Amino acid sequence: MTNTTNQSWGGRFSEPTDAFVAAFTASIGFDQRLYHHDIRGSIAHATMLARVGVLTDDERNAIINGLKEIEAEIERGEIEWSVALEDIHMNIEARLTDRIGIVGKKLHTGRSRNDQIATDIRLYLRDGIDAVASELSRLRQGLIELAEREADTIMPGFTHLQSAQPVTFGHHLLAWQEMIARDQERLLDTRKRVNIMPLGAAALAGTTYPIDRHVTAELLGFDRPAENSLDAVSDRDFAIEFTAFASLLMMHLSRMSEELVLWTSAQFDFIDLPDRFCTGSSIMPQKKNPDVPELVRGKTGRVYGHMMSLLTLMKSQPLAYNKDNQEDKEPLFDTLDTVLGSLRAFGDMIPAIRAKSDNMHAAAKRGFATATDLADYLVRQGVAFRDAHEIVGKAVAFGIEEGRDLSEMTLDELQRFSDHIGGDIFEVLTLEGSVAARNHIGGTAPNQVRAAAQRAREALATLPAHALDQKDPTQ
């Protein structure tokens, strides 16, 4: 082989790759972030090869020491990545051979770049999942603590963005917490399918060397080796599944963002966000813009796009590996970056929210929020619900004409619509009485909100260790 063709595959070629094609097909510009996981996989592979007698102990030690030195060089910023070497694998292998000589060329025995990259991505994504799970735990904890503080704070509950029934701010926050808890459950389930090891599948058909894939899987912390070599190198379901999880999560964060944007507006004025999460206007000096939730809401679309990109990438691929799969990394990397950034922003911002409880309470008094409570009261007096619904509807129409809420009417006025209404009705028509009356699991009563918060806290405590305090692989 001459030095004009790629050292990893140029033996059968008679001319070098066109310079544009070399640049067009190279992935080192984005897959260099996999260096730690590539080296980790190579160390495990060399360890296994020595254990089964393919490498000597001295060769294994030289390879491992060389790889560790290269990793330190990369982290010091001393490596110059070569487009001519295409990808992270060949850049590291070439540097290893430069350092330790021909022994470095033995590292690739019994594997292919096909199973190598599939392993690198799974290792990288597994670490990414653990970092995301940790951020989800932090966000859930912030929501739970804020919900407990605001368990008694009454606000309007909405359907169709119209005032419906009174709830508490704590109850609303725990609804967000339920969304995020489901997301975390989905993520941890996804991790199970990520944690399968492709290494040993080689190009597509396995290898003739006496490898022990269970040893490598144990060294790398995988649950087991992949069962089928063809599927092992070509499967990207795990990446698609992660982007599907991410799409659902971002949808939830976007819904939360929309409400935060509304609530900070002058028309709602329910909450205040600290200045550090907002920006101003270059022309309007009074503006305080909720940029963090707005930007998270906007980033949701790019994550949706990445999921569709990966689905489209895989939809017509024959087995096994195809060069198309090089296009899996940038959507996956950006999805992980976007999710981690969004969660960090929310994890910092949510505990800092300040509720404007007086404004919330005043808003809950508008819109006849206790109308359903009046209907329920009539039912308890023996009125059929449909009749009670009509009676209350007429009372609301009267209130609209008079510009008064149900609680502001006199007993005589209310009794015009039904003689089943007694003097105890005003206990029912208070906002406090309304939320307290829903005293069942999942209800709005403040004691139920606190109990739900405690159950959520206990559920967090049962999460596996890899869902807490993880290092971010993107840094």
Coordinates of all heavy atoms in Angstrom, one line a residue, residues 258-337:
E258 N -44.9 27.7 27.5 CA -46.0 28.5 27.1 C -46.7 29.1 28.3 O -47.1 30.3 28.3 CB -46.9 27.7 26.2 CG -48.2 28.4 25.8 CD -48.0 29.4 24.8 OE1 -46.9 29.5 24.3 OE2 -49.0 30.1 24.4
E259 N -46.9 28.3 29.3 CA -47.6 28.8 30.5 C -46.8 29.8 31.2 O -47.3 30.9 31.7 CB -48.0 27.7 31.4 CG -49.1 26.8 30.8 CD -49.7 25.7 31.7 OE1 -48.9 25.1 32.4 OE2 -50.9 25.6 31.7
L260 N -45.5 29.6 31.3 CA -44.6 30.6 32.0 C -44.6 31.9 31.2 O -44.6 33.0 31.8 CB -43.2 30.0 32.0 CG -43.0 28.9 33.0 CD1 -41.6 28.3 32.8 CD2 -43.2 29.3 34.4
V261 N -44.6 31.8 29.9 CA -44.6 33.1 29.1 C -45.9 33.8 29.3 O -46.0 35.0 29.5 CB -44.5 32.7 27.6 CG1 -44.7 34.0 26.7 CG2 -43.0 32.2 27.3
L262 N -47.1 33.1 29.3 CA -48.4 33.7 29.6 C -48.4 34.3 31.0 O -48.8 35.5 31.2 CB -49.5 32.7 29.4 CG -49.8 32.2 28.0 CD1 -50.8 31.1 28.1 CD2 -50.4 33.4 27.2
W263 N -47.9 33.6 32.0 CA -48.1 34.0 33.4 C -47.2 35.2 33.7 O -47.5 35.9 34.6 CB -47.7 32.8 34.3 CG -48.7 31.7 34.3 CD1 -49.9 31.7 33.7 CD2 -48.5 30.4 34.8 NE1 -50.5 30.5 33.9 CE2 -49.7 29.7 34.6 CE3 -47.4 29.8 35.5 CZ2 -49.8 28.3 35.0 CZ3 -47.6 28.5 35.9 CH2 -48.7 27.8 35.7
T264 N -46.1 35.4 32.9 CA -45.3 36.6 33.2 C -45.8 37.8 32.4 O -45.3 38.9 32.7 CB -43.8 36.3 32.7 OG1 -43.8 35.9 31.4 CG2 -43.2 35.2 33.6
S265 N -46.8 37.7 31.6 CA -47.3 38.8 30.8 C -48.1 39.7 31.8 O -48.6 39.3 32.8 CB -48.2 38.3 29.7 OG -49.4 37.8 30.2
A266 N -48.2 41.0 31.4 CA -49.0 41.9 32.2 C -50.4 41.5 32.3 O -51.1 41.9 33.3 CB -48.8 43.3 31.6
Q267 N -50.9 40.8 31.3 CA -52.3 40.4 31.3 C -52.6 39.4 32.3 O -53.7 39.3 32.9 CB -52.7 40.0 29.9 CG -52.8 41.1 28.8 CD -51.5 41.7 28.5 OE1 -50.5 41.0 28.5 NE2 -51.5 43.0 28.2
F268 N -51.7 38.5 32.6 CA -51.9 37.5 33.6 C -51.2 37.9 34.9 O -51.8 38.0 36.0 CB -51.2 36.1 33.2 CG -52.1 35.3 32.3 CD1 -52.2 35.6 30.9 CD2 -52.9 34.2 32.8 CE1 -53.1 34.8 30.1 CE2 -53.7 33.5 32.0 CZ -53.8 33.8 30.6
D269 N -49.9 38.2 34.9 CA -49.1 38.7 36.0 C -49.2 37.7 37.2 O -49.5 38.2 38.3 CB -49.6 40.1 36.4 CG -48.5 40.8 37.2 OD1 -47.3 40.4 37.1 OD2 -48.9 41.8 37.9
F270 N -49.1 36.4 36.9 CA -49.2 35.4 38.0 C -47.9 35.2 38.7 O -47.8 34.8 39.9 CB -49.7 34.1 37.4 CG -51.1 34.1 37.1 CD1 -51.7 32.9 36.5 CD2 -52.0 35.1 37.3 CE1 -53.1 32.8 36.2 CE2 -53.3 35.1 37.0 CZ -53.9 33.9 36.4
I271 N -46.8 35.3 38.0 CA -45.5 34.9 38.5 C -44.4 36.0 38.1 O -44.6 36.8 37.2 CB -45.0 33.5 38.0 CG1 -44.8 33.6 36.5 CG2 -45.9 32.4 38.4 CD1 -44.0 32.3 36.0
D272 N -43.3 35.9 38.8 CA -42.2 36.7 38.4 C -41.0 35.8 38.2 O -40.7 34.9 39.1 CB -41.8 37.7 39.5 CG -40.7 38.6 39.1 OD1 -40.8 39.3 38.1 OD2 -39.6 38.6 39.8
L273 N -40.2 35.9 37.1 CA -39.0 35.2 36.9 C -37.8 36.2 37.2 O -37.9 37.3 36.9 CB -38.9 34.8 35.4 CG -39.9 33.7 34.9 CD1 -39.6 33.4 33.5 CD2 -39.7 32.4 35.7
P274 N -36.8 35.6 37.9 CA -35.7 36.5 38.2 C -35.0 37.1 36.9 O -35.1 36.5 35.8 CB -34.7 35.5 38.9 CG -35.6 34.5 39.5 CD -36.7 34.3 38.5
D275 N -34.4 38.2 37.1 CA -33.9 38.9 35.9 C -32.8 38.1 35.2 O -32.7 38.2 34.0 CB -33.2 40.2 36.4 CG -34.2 41.3 36.8 OD1 -35.4 41.0 36.6 OD2 -33.8 42.3 37.3
R276 N -32.1 37.2 35.9 CA -31.1 36.4 35.2 C -31.6 35.4 34.2 O -30.8 34.9 33.4 CB -30.2 35.7 36.3 CG -31.0 34.6 37.1 CD -30.1 34.0 38.2 NE -30.7 33.0 39.0 CZ -31.5 33.3 40.1 NH1 -31.7 34.6 40.4 NH2 -32.0 32.4 40.8
F277 N -32.9 35.2 34.2 CA -33.5 34.3 33.2 C -34.2 35.1 32.1 O -34.9 34.5 31.3 CB -34.4 33.3 33.8 CG -33.8 32.4 34.8 CD1 -34.0 32.6 36.2 CD2 -32.9 31.4 34.4 CE1 -33.4 31.8 37.1 CE2 -32.3 30.6 35.4 CZ -32.5 30.8 36.7
C278 N -34.1 36.4 32.1 CA -34.8 37.2 31.2 C -33.8 38.2 30.5 O -32.7 38.3 30.9 CB -35.9 38.0 31.9 SG -37.1 37.0 32.8
T279 N -34.3 38.8 29.4 CA -33.6 39.9 28.7 C -34.5 41.1 28.5 O -35.7 41.0 28.7 CB -33.0 39.4 27.4 OG1 -34.1 39.1 26.5 CG2 -32.2 38.2 27.5
G280 N -33.9 42.2 28.0 CA -34.7 43.4 27.8 C -34.8 43.6 26.3 O -34.5 42.8 25.4
S281 N -35.3 44.8 26.0 CA -35.5 45.2 24.6 C -34.6 46.3 24.2 O -34.3 47.2 25.1 CB -37.0 45.7 24.4 OG -37.1 46.4 23.2
S282 N -34.1 46.3 23.0 CA -33.2 47.4 22.6 C -33.9 48.7 22.3 O -33.2 49.7 22.2 CB -32.4 46.9 21.3 OG -33.4 46.8 20.2
I283 N -35.2 48.7 22.2 CA -36.0 49.9 21.9 C -37.0 50.2 23.0 O -37.3 51.4 23.2 CB -36.6 49.8 20.5 CG1 -37.2 51.1 20.1 CG2 -37.7 48.7 20.5 CD1 -37.8 51.1 18.7
M284 N -37.5 49.2 23.7 CA -38.6 49.5 24.7 C -38.0 49.3 26.1 O -37.8 48.1 26.5 CB -39.8 48.5 24.4 CG -40.5 48.8 23.1 SD -41.6 47.5 22.7 CE -40.6 46.1 22.2
P285 N -37.7 50.3 26.8 CA -37.0 50.2 28.1 C -37.8 49.5 29.2 O -37.2 49.0 30.1 CB -36.7 51.6 28.5 CG -37.7 52.5 27.7 CD -38.0 51.7 26.4
Q286 N -39.1 49.3 29.0 CA -39.9 48.7 30.1 C -39.9 47.2 30.0 O -40.3 46.5 30.9 CB -41.3 49.2 30.0 CG -42.2 48.5 29.0 CD -42.1 48.9 27.6 OE1 -41.1 49.7 27.3 NE2 -43.0 48.5 26.7
K287 N -39.4 46.6 28.9 CA -39.6 45.2 28.6 C -38.7 44.3 29.5 O -37.5 44.6 29.7 CB -39.3 44.9 27.1 CG -40.2 45.5 26.1 CD -41.6 44.9 26.3 CE -41.7 43.5 25.9 NZ -41.3 43.2 24.6
K288 N -39.3 43.2 29.9 CA -38.6 42.1 30.6 C -39.1 40.8 29.9 O -40.2 40.3 30.2 CB -38.9 42.1 32.1 CG -38.1 40.9 32.8 CD -38.4 41.0 34.3 CE -37.8 39.8 35.0 NZ -38.1 39.8 36.5
N289 N -38.3 40.3 29.0 CA -38.7 39.2 28.1 C -38.3 37.8 28.7 O -37.2 37.6 29.1 CB -38.1 39.3 26.8 CG -38.5 40.6 26.1 OD1 -39.6 41.1 26.2 ND2 -37.6 41.2 25.3
P290 N -39.2 36.9 28.8 CA -38.9 35.5 29.3 C -38.2 34.7 28.3 O -38.7 33.7 27.8 CB -40.3 35.0 29.7 CG -41.2 35.6 28.6 CD -40.7 37.0 28.4
D291 N -37.0 35.1 28.0 CA -36.3 34.4 26.9 C -36.0 32.9 27.1 O -36.0 32.2 26.1 CB -34.9 35.2 26.6 CG -35.1 36.4 25.8 OD1 -36.3 36.8 25.6 OD2 -34.1 36.9 25.2
V292 N -35.7 32.5 28.3 CA -35.4 31.1 28.6 C -36.6 30.2 28.2 O -36.4 29.3 27.3 CB -34.9 30.9 30.0 CG1 -34.9 29.4 30.3 CG2 -33.5 31.5 30.2
P293 N -37.8 30.4 28.7 CA -38.9 29.5 28.2 C -39.2 29.7 26.8 O -39.6 28.7 26.1 CB -40.0 29.9 29.2 CG -39.7 31.2 29.8 CD -38.2 31.3 29.8
E294 N -39.1 30.9 26.2 CA -39.3 31.1 24.8 C -38.4 30.3 24.0 O -38.8 29.7 23.0 CB -39.2 32.6 24.4 CG -40.4 33.4 24.9 CD -40.2 34.9 24.6 OE1 -39.1 35.3 24.1 OE2 -41.2 35.6 24.7
L295 N -37.1 30.3 24.3 CA -36.1 29.6 23.5 C -36.3 28.1 23.7 O -36.1 27.4 22.7 CB -34.7 30.0 24.0 CG -33.5 29.5 23.1 CD1 -33.7 30.0 21.7 CD2 -32.2 30.0 23.6
V296 N -36.6 27.6 24.9 CA -36.9 26.2 25.0 C -38.1 25.8 24.1 O -38.1 24.7 23.5 CB -37.1 25.8 26.5 CG1 -37.7 24.4 26.6 CG2 -35.8 26.0 27.3
R297 N -39.1 26.6 24.1 CA -40.3 26.3 23.3 C -39.8 26.3 21.8 O -40.3 25.4 21.1 CB -41.3 27.5 23.5 CG -42.6 27.3 22.8 CD -43.6 28.4 23.2 NE -43.0 29.7 22.8 CZ -43.6 30.9 23.1 NH1 -44.8 30.9 23.8 NH2 -43.1 32.0 22.7
G298 N -38.9 27.2 21.4 CA -38.5 27.1 20.0 C -37.6 26.0 19.7 O -37.6 25.4 18.6
K299 N -36.8 25.5 20.7 CA -35.9 24.4 20.4 C -36.6 23.1 20.3 O -36.0 22.1 19.8 CB -34.8 24.3 21.5 CG -33.8 25.4 21.5 CD -32.8 25.2 22.6 CE -31.7 26.3 22.6 NZ -30.8 26.1 21.4
T300 N -37.8 23.0 20.7 CA -38.6 21.8 20.6 C -38.7 21.3 19.1 O -38.6 20.1 18.8 CB -40.0 22.0 21.1 OG1 -39.9 22.4 22.5 CG2 -40.9 20.7 21.0
G301 N -38.8 22.3 18.2 CA -39.0 21.9 16.8 C -37.7 21.3 16.2 O -37.8 20.4 15.4
R302 N -36.5 21.7 16.7 CA -35.3 21.1 16.1 C -35.2 19.6 16.6 O -34.7 18.8 15.8 CB -34.1 21.9 16.5 CG -33.7 21.8 17.9 CD -32.6 22.9 18.2 NE -31.3 22.6 17.6 CZ -30.4 23.5 17.5 NH1 -30.6 24.7 17.9 NH2 -29.2 23.1 17.0
V303 N -35.7 19.3 17.8 CA -35.6 17.9 18.3 C -36.6 17.1 17.5 O -36.3 15.9 17.1 CB -35.9 17.9 19.8 CG1 -36.0 16.5 20.3 CG2 -34.7 18.6 20.5
Y304 N -37.8 17.6 17.3 CA -38.8 16.9 16.4 C -38.1 16.6 15.1 O -38.3 15.5 14.5 CB -40.0 17.7 16.2 CG -41.0 17.9 17.3 CD1 -42.1 18.7 17.2 CD2 -40.7 17.4 18.6 CE1 -43.0 18.9 18.2 CE2 -41.6 17.6 19.7 CZ -42.7 18.4 19.5 OH -43.6 18.6 20.5
G305 N -37.4 17.5 14.5 CA -36.8 17.4 13.2 C -35.7 16.3 13.2 O -35.6 15.5 12.3
H306 N -35.0 16.2 14.3 CA -33.9 15.2 14.4 C -34.6 13.8 14.5 O -34.0 12.8 13.9 CB -33.1 15.4 15.7 CG -32.2 16.6 15.6 ND1 -31.7 17.1 14.4 CD2 -31.8 17.5 16.6 CE1 -31.0 18.2 14.6 NE2 -31.0 18.5 15.9
M307 N -35.7 13.6 15.2 CA -36.3 12.3 15.2 C -36.8 11.9 13.8 O -36.5 10.8 13.4 CB -37.5 12.3 16.1 CG -38.3 11.0 16.2 SD -39.7 11.0 17.3 CE -40.8 12.0 16.3
M308 N -37.4 12.8 13.1 CA -37.8 12.5 11.7 C -36.6 12.3 10.8 O -36.6 11.4 9.9 CB -38.6 13.7 11.1 CG -40.0 13.8 11.8 SD -40.9 12.3 11.7 CE -41.0 12.0 9.9
S309 N -35.5 13.0 11.0 CA -34.3 12.7 10.3 C -33.8 11.3 10.4 O -33.4 10.6 9.4 CB -33.2 13.7 10.7 OG -32.0 13.5 10.0
L310 N -33.7 10.8 11.7 CA -33.2 9.5 11.9 C -34.2 8.4 11.4 O -33.8 7.4 10.9 CB -33.0 9.3 13.4 CG -31.8 10.1 14.0 CD1 -31.6 9.8 15.5 CD2 -30.5 9.7 13.3
L311 N -35.5 8.7 11.6 CA -36.4 7.7 11.0 C -36.3 7.6 9.5 O -36.3 6.5 8.9 CB -37.9 8.2 11.4 CG -38.3 7.9 12.8 CD1 -39.6 8.7 13.1 CD2 -38.5 6.4 13.0
T312 N -36.1 8.7 8.8 CA -36.0 8.8 7.4 C -34.7 8.1 7.0 O -34.6 7.4 6.0 CB -36.1 10.2 6.9 OG1 -37.3 10.8 7.3 CG2 -36.0 10.2 5.3
L313 N -33.6 8.4 7.8 CA -32.3 7.8 7.5 C -32.4 6.3 7.4 O -31.7 5.7 6.6 CB -31.3 8.2 8.6 CG -29.9 7.6 8.5 CD1 -29.1 8.2 7.4 CD2 -29.2 7.9 9.8
M314 N -33.1 5.7 8.3 CA -33.1 4.2 8.4 C -34.2 3.5 7.6 O -34.2 2.3 7.5 CB -33.3 3.8 9.9 CG -32.2 4.3 10.8 SD -30.5 3.8 10.3 CE -30.7 2.0 10.4
K315 N -35.1 4.2 7.0 CA -36.3 3.6 6.5 C -36.1 2.7 5.4 O -36.9 1.7 5.2 CB -37.4 4.7 6.2 CG -37.1 5.4 4.8 CD -38.2 6.3 4.5 CE -38.0 7.0 3.1 NZ -38.0 6.0 2.0
S316 N -35.1 2.8 4.6 CA -34.9 2.0 3.4 C -33.5 1.3 3.4 O -33.1 0.8 2.3 CB -35.0 2.8 2.1 OG -36.3 3.4 2.0
Q317 N -32.9 1.2 4.5 CA -31.6 0.6 4.5 C -31.6 -0.9 4.5 O -32.2 -1.5 5.4 CB -30.8 1.1 5.7 CG -30.2 2.5 5.6 CD -29.1 2.7 6.6 OE1 -28.3 1.8 6.8 NE2 -29.0 3.9 7.1
P318 N -30.9 -1.6 3.6 CA -30.8 -3.0 3.7 C -29.8 -3.4 4.7 O -28.9 -2.6 5.1 CB -30.3 -3.4 2.3 CG -29.5 -2.2 1.8 CD -30.3 -1.0 2.4
L319 N -29.8 -4.6 5.3 CA -28.8 -5.0 6.2 C -27.5 -5.2 5.4 O -27.5 -5.6 4.2 CB -29.2 -6.4 6.8 CG -30.3 -6.3 7.8 CD1 -30.7 -7.8 8.2 CD2 -29.9 -5.6 9.1
A320 N -26.2 -4.9 5.9 CA -26.1 -4.5 7.3 C -25.7 -3.1 7.4 O -26.5 -2.2 7.1 CB -25.0 -5.4 8.0
Y321 N -24.4 -2.8 7.6 CA -24.0 -1.4 7.7 C -24.0 -0.7 6.4 O -23.6 -1.3 5.4 CB -22.6 -1.3 8.4 CG -22.2 0.2 8.6 CD1 -22.6 0.9 9.7 CD2 -21.4 0.8 7.6 CE1 -22.2 2.2 9.9 CE2 -21.0 2.1 7.8 CZ -21.4 2.8 8.9 OH -21.0 4.1 9.1
N322 N -24.4 0.6 6.3 CA -24.3 1.4 5.1 C -23.7 2.8 5.5 O -23.9 3.2 6.6 CB -25.7 1.6 4.5 CG -26.3 0.3 4.1 OD1 -26.0 -0.2 3.0 ND2 -27.2 -0.2 4.9
K323 N -23.1 3.4 4.6 CA -22.4 4.7 4.8 C -23.5 5.8 5.3 O -23.1 6.7 6.0 CB -21.7 5.2 3.6 CG -20.9 6.5 3.8 CD -19.7 6.2 4.7 CE -18.8 7.5 4.7 NZ -17.6 7.3 5.7
D324 N -24.7 5.5 4.9 CA -25.8 6.4 5.4 C -25.7 6.7 6.9 O -26.0 7.7 7.4 CB -27.2 5.8 5.1 CG -27.4 5.3 3.7 OD1 -26.5 4.6 3.2 OD2 -28.5 5.6 3.1
N325 N -25.3 5.6 7.6 CA -25.4 5.7 9.0 C -24.4 6.7 9.6 O -24.5 7.0 10.8 CB -25.1 4.3 9.7 CG -26.3 3.4 9.5 OD1 -27.4 3.8 9.1 ND2 -26.1 2.1 9.8
Q326 N -23.5 7.2 8.8 CA -22.7 8.3 9.3 C -23.5 9.5 9.7 O -23.1 10.3 10.5 CB -21.6 8.6 8.3 CG -20.7 9.7 8.7 CD -19.5 9.9 7.7 OE1 -18.7 9.0 7.5 NE2 -19.5 11.0 7.1
E327 N -24.7 9.6 9.0 CA -25.6 10.7 9.3 C -26.4 10.6 10.6 O -27.2 11.5 10.9 CB -26.5 10.9 8.1 CG -25.8 11.4 6.8 CD -25.3 12.8 6.9 OE1 -26.1 13.7 7.2 OE2 -24.0 12.9 6.8
D328 N -26.1 9.6 11.4 CA -26.9 9.4 12.6 C -26.4 10.3 13.7 O -27.1 10.6 14.7 CB -26.9 7.9 13.0 CG -25.5 7.4 13.4 OD1 -24.5 8.1 13.1 OD2 -25.4 6.3 13.9
K329 N -25.1 10.7 13.6 CA -24.4 11.3 14.8 C -24.8 12.7 15.1 O -25.1 13.1 16.2 CB -22.9 11.2 14.6 CG -22.4 9.7 14.6 CD -21.0 9.6 14.1 CE -20.7 8.2 13.7 NZ -21.5 7.7 12.6
E330 N -24.8 13.6 14.0 CA -25.1 15.0 14.3 C -26.5 15.2 14.8 O -26.7 16.0 15.8 CB -24.9 15.8 13.0 CG -23.4 15.9 12.6 CD -23.1 16.6 11.3 OE1 -23.4 16.0 10.3 OE2 -22.7 17.7 11.4
P331 N -27.6 14.5 14.3 CA -28.9 14.7 14.9 C -28.9 14.2 16.3 O -29.5 14.8 17.2 CB -29.8 13.8 14.0 CG -29.1 13.7 12.7 CD -27.7 13.7 13.0
L332 N -28.3 13.0 16.6 CA -28.2 12.5 17.9 C -27.5 13.4 18.9 O -28.0 13.7 20.0 CB -27.6 11.1 17.9 CG -27.6 10.4 19.3 CD1 -29.0 10.1 19.8 CD2 -26.8 9.1 19.1
F333 N -26.3 13.9 18.5 CA -25.5 14.8 19.3 C -26.3 16.0 19.6 O -26.3 16.5 20.8 CB -24.2 15.1 18.6 CG -23.2 14.0 18.5 CD1 -22.2 14.1 17.6 CD2 -23.4 12.8 19.2 CE1 -21.3 13.0 17.4 CE2 -22.5 11.7 19.0 CZ -21.5 11.8 18.1
D334 N -26.9 16.6 18.6 CA -27.6 17.9 18.8 C -28.8 17.7 19.7 O -29.2 18.6 20.5 CB -28.0 18.5 17.5 CG -28.5 20.0 17.7 OD1 -27.7 20.8 18.0 OD2 -29.7 20.2 17.5
T335 N -29.5 16.6 19.6 CA -30.6 16.3 20.4 C -30.2 16.2 21.9 O -30.8 16.8 22.8 CB -31.3 14.9 20.0 OG1 -31.8 15.0 18.7 CG2 -32.4 14.6 21.0
L336 N -29.1 15.5 22.1 CA -28.6 15.4 23.5 C -28.2 16.7 24.1 O -28.5 17.1 25.2 CB -27.4 14.4 23.6 CG -26.8 14.1 24.9 CD1 -27.8 13.7 25.9 CD2 -25.7 13.1 24.8
D337 N -27.5 17.5 23.2 CA -27.0 18.9 23.7 C -28.3 19.7 24.0 O -28.3 20.5 25.0 CB -26.2 19.5 22.6 CG -24.9 18.9 22.3 OD1 -24.4 18.1 23.2 OD2 -24.3 19.2 21.3

